[in-house]
Amino acid sequence: MIPTTTTSNGLQMTENTSTFDNPTRASDYFGCMTFSGDTMLKRLPSDVFAKLQRTMSDGTPLDPAIANTVAVAMKDWAIENGATHYCHWFQPLTGITAEKHDAFLSPMADGSAIEKFSGGQLIVGEPDASSFPSGGIRDTYEARGYTAWDATSPAFLLKNPSGITTLCIPTAFVSWTGEALDKKTPLLRSIQAMSKQAMRVLKLFGHDHGVSHVVGTLGCEQEYFLVEREQAEQRLDLMMTGRTLIGANAPKGHQLDDHYFGAVPDRVLTFMAEVESRLFELGVPVKTRHNEVAPSQYEIAPMFENANIAVDHQMITMQVLKMMARKYGFECLLHEKPFAGINGSGKHNNWSMATSTGINLLDPRDDTHTNMQFLVFLAAVIRAVDLHADLLRASIASAANDHRLGANEAPPAIMSIFLGEMLTDILNQLEAGTPKKTKTGGDLNLGATSLPHIPRHASDRNRTSPFAFTGNKFEFRAVGSTAPVAWPNTVLNTIVAESIDFVATELEKKAGKNPSAAKLENAVKVVLKDVIKKHRRVCFDGDGYGEAWHKEAEKRGLPNKRNTADSLGAFKTKVARDVFSKYHVLSPRELEARYDVLVENYCTVMGIEIRTLVQMVRTQVMPAALRTQEELATTVSATLAADVDCAETQADLKSYVGLVNELRSSVTELEKLNAKHHKDDETEMHFLQATVVPCMQRVRAACDALERVTPGDNWPMPTYAEMLLMK
């Protein structure tokens, strides 16, 4: 008998059937592959369901007594949907997810077998903790680690294109000593820290009634490229590093701006539809799909969610994109800059705060100048970004993102905030005294009677700002497309918690903990005026790409950390240690470990890229170039032997030989630099950035110059023009 399941709306599904194969309304099957909602309600006793629901929605401590009941129900549901194995699904410091599959099958003494899954197996797992990056928290001989069930994020069934289904249980990952070895544990701690401080502000305003906690909310846009899998496999650089280390620009990139929001190619649209279908099944609320700026570049974007769940969903989204791409003959490139000279890829991190009752604390509402609670939270965020700009910049630093930040499609490395005309005007009023009015946008008359008048927002948008207010949230645009968003959001939540703490403390000093409305309003005006005066230097509404802003930012004293090597040191400062430890997000040792892992990762990524580039030059580009050189020399010799003048061809040969020699000398220099060893990873990182990266650029320039004048049938790999021309 083929296992089947029935969704809440009566849709029959088998273990080898996707909803994509049986098209119906997405709402009929949304979340059908997650152990949540109706599935839990139908399979759990009412008291167990209520206790688990409180943990999931309010973050209350999990009752261990219900674990066995939940485990049995989860196992039965998974098996009915075709799963034979389960795994604790976690996010180690590798930057991707990890999973170890265990079978439900349990042999019996009489030779038979049954499927078993206990509460203990649900709550705790024990993966090897020494084989993951730990920054020294675990030595090689210290192997014990634990995964702990995160009941606030629903378990889900992940099915690969062959129909193999696995029950995935989101978990935290810690060492035997209890220290965090993952990205989820600090994220949950940071959300808790922010909630505690935000509740103080709500209490001051008398808005804490019925509110149990405050959560971060998050929606992450994901940009990506698709290329033909067959072509990608012919590029060692794409397979090893995720980006092209060499490659001359195609005759046409995105100069005409015709790809952006253009019609989606048929095969790509079919791929997108199945990706969305799989994500809908997994409860991921994806909303938007479209062509991005560069040829063969696309975007998928979800709705807002609880930040912890959104982080898990973001990791699932990247996994499903990669998995489904291969089914359709594509390779999905998530790298920040897979192709030089055209638009790179980011992951816009749309962040806000909301109460447990669903009130968005960064929604200015009408008459914003009277919405003092909103202005308090806004001022706290401005202060956080200004005071801890170096931490925020370091949170998105990586070897991959170095290729993107500051380019014309990405925000500059200077952390600044765009507020728009309306909020900027209110800040001016606050700084001057009492705000009196809120600017409105009015209506736009489009000039044709058949077109409606449309409401105009009070402020424009600014795509050059790394941290832009976009109506009821902040869009952290500088996050890289490969980045797990748990880390930048952990940093963001922590610095905002510190800033809300400061503002709340100042308000309590001036107004008391249970102030009258008038006393609170006066205190708010005084505190906000001081905060704005000290920290609005970080606010900038102009062109973040322009050189004038770089000069202005320097005058304002804003840091401009242009690369990873210059950025990561922010995590070694006393300020960083104090803020992370004060709010119990990371101990000094845990923070130091993350710094060490980030530095090691940079050096490792660069090492892989160097070795890959050298191998491609020595085994592919140089042989092709020498073959072409020989053909040119033969042509010159034959022409001269025929007593025919060939001065131009001789000049071509001389020029080509010069390019070959330039490539030979630059790659030899790169090999020598790569052979140097340094006493520690930090020294190595700075050496790589300052010395090796420029050498790699010279090797690339020589390769690309040769590609432009080498016959196509001699060039040993697919070119940009071939890869970016989507069939």
Side-chain angles (χ1 to χ4, degrees):
M1 178 178 178
I2 299 176
T4 64
T5 188
T6 304
T7 70
S8 59
N9 290 306
L11 177 67
Q12 291 284 331
M13 297 176 60
T14 72
E15 63 178 278
N16 293 315
T17 300
S18 165
T19 52
F20 182 73
D21 303 313
N22 292 287
T24 186
R25 293 184 305 179
S27 58
D28 289 341
Y29 61 87
F30 185 81
C32 68
M33 301 297 271
T34 65
F35 192 74
S36 60
D38 286 350
T39 300
M40 288 199 313
L41 182 61
K42 291 175 181 178
R43 292 176 177 270
L44 294 175
S46 58
D47 61 326
V48 173
F49 171 80
K51 290 179 180 179
L52 183 56
Q53 191 67 30
R54 280 196 296 272
T55 296
M56 295 181 71
S57 61
D58 297 336
T60 57
L62 179 71
D63 183 355
I66 70 172
N68 277 326
T69 303
V70 175
V72 170
M74 197 180 286
K75 175 206 69 177
D76 291 344
W77 167 74
I79 290 173
E80 288 171 18
N81 282 277
T84 58
H85 289 67
Y86 71 92
C87 73
H88 277 194
W89 185 83
F90 58 102
Q91 299 175 40
L93 299 180
T94 55
I96 57 175
T97 58
E99 53 195 59
K100 176 173 73 76
H101 296 196
D102 286 302
F104 291 121
L105 190 72
S106 181
M108 306 296 285
D110 62 0
S112 62
I114 60 172
E115 278 80 18
K116 292 174 62 178
F117 185 51
S118 69
Q121 291 169 312
L122 170 63
I123 291 177
V124 180
E126 192 179 322
D128 187 335
S130 64
S131 297
F132 292 104
S134 72
I137 288 178
R138 296 268 82 187
D139 285 324
T140 304
Y141 66 91
E142 296 175 316
R144 195 179 298 279
Y146 302 104
T147 48
W149 178 32
D150 174 18
T152 64
S153 184
F156 58 93
L157 296 173
L158 190 62
K159 179 163 54 178
N160 76 358
S162 300
I164 297 173
T165 304
T166 306
L167 171 64
C168 298
I169 302 161
T171 58
F173 177 43
V174 299
S175 73
W176 179 72
T177 56
E179 292 161 302
L181 295 176
D182 67 339
K183 296 180 183 292
K184 178 183 279 285
T185 303
L187 174 69
L188 291 172
R189 294 172 182 170
S190 73
I191 293 171
Q192 184 172 292
M194 187 173 66
S195 174
K196 180 179 179 181
Q197 302 307 324
M199 288 297 294
R200 292 172 61 196
V201 174
L202 294 181
K203 186 175 187 301
L204 283 169
F205 282 92
H207 295 160
D208 59 326
H209 303 299
V211 177
S212 60
H213 62 286
V214 169
V215 299
T217 59
L218 190 63
C220 291
E221 306 163 31
Q222 176 71 58
E223 295 172 343
Y224 61 94
F225 281 81
L226 292 176
V227 297
E228 300 292 348
R229 172 71 179 172
E230 183 179 352
Q231 291 178 334
E233 288 176 337
Q234 298 174 54
R235 298 275 318 206
L236 185 65
D237 46 7
L238 282 181
M239 292 292 97
M240 291 289 105
T241 73
R243 76 178 183 101
T244 54
L245 300 174
I246 58 176
N249 290 336
K252 177 182 178 294
H254 56 245
Q255 296 93 332
L256 293 175
D257 300 320
D258 54 342
H259 190 260
Y260 193 47
F261 283 11
V264 181
D266 289 347
R267 185 155 61 105
V268 175
L269 187 58
T270 307
F271 155 78
M272 287 178 168
E274 180 154 13
V275 166
E276 290 177 343
S277 177
R278 300 283 181 174
L279 292 175
F280 287 153
E281 292 175 358
L282 293 166
V284 182
V286 289
K287 182 74 172 177
T288 302
R289 66 188 183 204
H290 63 83
N291 284 7
E292 252 300 330
V293 171
S296 297
Q297 187 186 31
Y298 308 93
E299 181 178 296
I300 184 171
M303 300 286 284
F304 275 88
E305 299 181 90
N306 173 296
N308 178 45
I309 296 174
V311 165
D312 286 353
H313 281 171
Q314 222 293 306
M315 301 302 291
I316 292 170
T317 298
M318 290 194 290
Q319 188 170 351
V320 170
L321 282 170
K322 297 285 284 185
M323 185 168 61
M324 288 296 108
R326 296 192 175 191
K327 176 179 178 180
Y328 285 86
F330 296 129
E331 183 70 16
C332 178
L333 306 177
L334 297 176
H335 195 283
E336 282 74 359
K337 200 75 170 176
F339 300 99
I342 61 173
N343 195 56
S345 295
K347 184 167 357 211
H348 300 163
N349 190 92
N350 294 284
W351 171 92
S352 189
M353 298 175 283
T355 67
S356 58
T357 55
I359 304 299
N360 183 352
L361 299 178
L362 288 179
D363 184 356
R365 300 198 293 272
D366 295 333
D367 295 325
T368 305
H369 67 284
T370 66
N371 188 352
M372 289 296 172
Q373 179 179 282
F374 161 77
L375 293 174
V376 165
F377 283 114
L378 177 69
V381 174
I382 292 171
R383 178 184 176 277
V385 175
D386 180 40
L387 205 59
H388 301 290
D390 57 342
L391 292 178
L392 201 59
R393 167 65 180 93
S395 75
I396 45 89
S398 69
N401 216 11
D402 278 357
H403 297 287
R404 171 179 167 266
L405 286 185
N408 282 341
E409 83 284 349
I414 305 165
M415 292 295 105
S416 66
I417 295 176
F418 167 80
L419 292 177
E421 292 179 26
M422 184 267 285
L423 290 182
T424 298
D425 180 62
I426 290 177
L427 290 197
N428 292 337
Q429 295 179 60
L430 276 168
E431 195 170 1
T434 301
K436 304 288 188 182
K437 60 185 176 62
T438 298
K439 276 190 173 182
T440 59
D443 290 338
L444 284 177
N445 183 346
L446 302 184
T449 56
S450 60
L451 294 175
H453 286 210
I454 60 174
R456 191 177 83 149
H457 289 83
S459 297
D460 203 347
R461 294 176 62 192
N462 189 327
R463 67 186 300 272
T464 71
S465 173
F467 202 80
F469 188 78
T470 55
N472 60 2
K473 58 183 169 40
F474 280 98
E475 184 180 25
F476 189 14
R477 295 176 55 87
V479 180
S481 52
T482 55
V485 293
W487 180 231
N489 282 285
T490 296
V491 174
L492 179 56
N493 293 340
T494 304
I495 64 176
V496 169
E498 185 276 335
S499 202
I500 297 174
D501 181 5
F502 172 84
V503 174
T505 300
E506 291 300 303
L507 290 174
E508 289 167 355
K509 286 179 183 177
K510 289 176 172 56
K513 294 194 175 183
N514 295 292
S516 65
K519 198 169 185 180
L520 177 61
E521 183 175 346
N522 288 332
V524 167
K525 290 176 184 176
V526 172
V527 172
L528 293 194
K529 181 176 182 178
D530 184 60
V531 169
I532 292 164
K533 185 176 180 180
K534 289 180 179 177
H535 299 289
R536 71 175 303 173
R537 64 174 185 165
V538 78
C539 299
F540 176 68
D541 287 357
D543 181 6
Y545 294 164
E547 185 60 33
W549 166 235
H550 288 248
K551 294 177 181 177
E552 172 64 21
E554 187 176 0
K555 288 181 184 177
R556 296 187 187 187
L558 300 180
N560 185 6
K561 305 295 185 182
R562 297 175 183 271
N563 55 63
T564 296
D566 291 342
S567 300
L568 292 182
F571 293 131
K572 294 181 68 179
T573 63
K574 183 180 184 302
V575 171
R577 289 193 297 272
D578 288 348
V579 73
F580 282 107
S581 59
K582 178 179 180 180
Y583 297 97
H584 307 291
V585 175
L586 290 168
S587 69
R589 188 179 186 214
E590 289 172 325
L591 179 61
E592 182 182 2
R594 274 147 187 79
Y595 170 79
D596 290 342
V597 168
L598 289 167
V599 172
E600 181 185 17
N601 178 265
Y602 179 91
C603 295
T604 302
V605 167
M606 291 303 302
I608 293 170
E609 289 195 353
I610 293 165
R611 292 189 295 274
T612 302
L613 179 56
V614 169
Q615 183 171 333
M616 291 177 73
V617 170
R618 291 297 189 193
T619 65
Q620 293 181 284
V621 177
M622 189 63 78
L626 291 175
R627 184 165 58 252
T628 302
Q629 179 179 304
E630 182 182 15
E631 291 171 358
L632 271 172
T634 299
T635 299
V636 169
S637 297
T639 305
L640 291 174
D643 199 22
V644 177
D645 178 67
C646 60
E648 291 184 358
T649 307
Q650 286 178 295
D652 289 342
L653 175 60
K654 183 177 181 181
S655 174
Y656 198 89
V657 170
L659 293 175
V660 172
N661 289 339
E662 169 60 22
L663 177 59
R664 182 182 287 110
S665 64
S666 60
V667 77
T668 299
E669 180 188 2
L670 180 61
E671 289 171 318
K672 290 178 180 177
L673 292 174
N674 192 44
K676 293 186 177 182
H677 300 286
H678 298 88
K679 60 181 181 179
D680 56 66
D681 284 341
E682 185 175 35
T683 303
E684 177 73 9
M685 175 179 68
H686 287 284
F687 172 75
L688 288 168
Q689 192 281 316
T691 306
V692 178
V693 168
C695 185
M696 292 178 70
Q697 292 169 343
R698 289 195 293 275
V699 174
R700 175 175 193 138
C703 284
D704 294 354
L706 280 168
E707 182 185 335
R708 293 186 185 97
V709 293
T710 299
D713 55 355
N714 275 358
W715 196 250
M717 64 196 73
T719 64
Y720 275 23
E722 292 166 336
M723 288 186 288
L724 294 173
L725 183 63
M726 181 60 65
K727 300 179 178 65

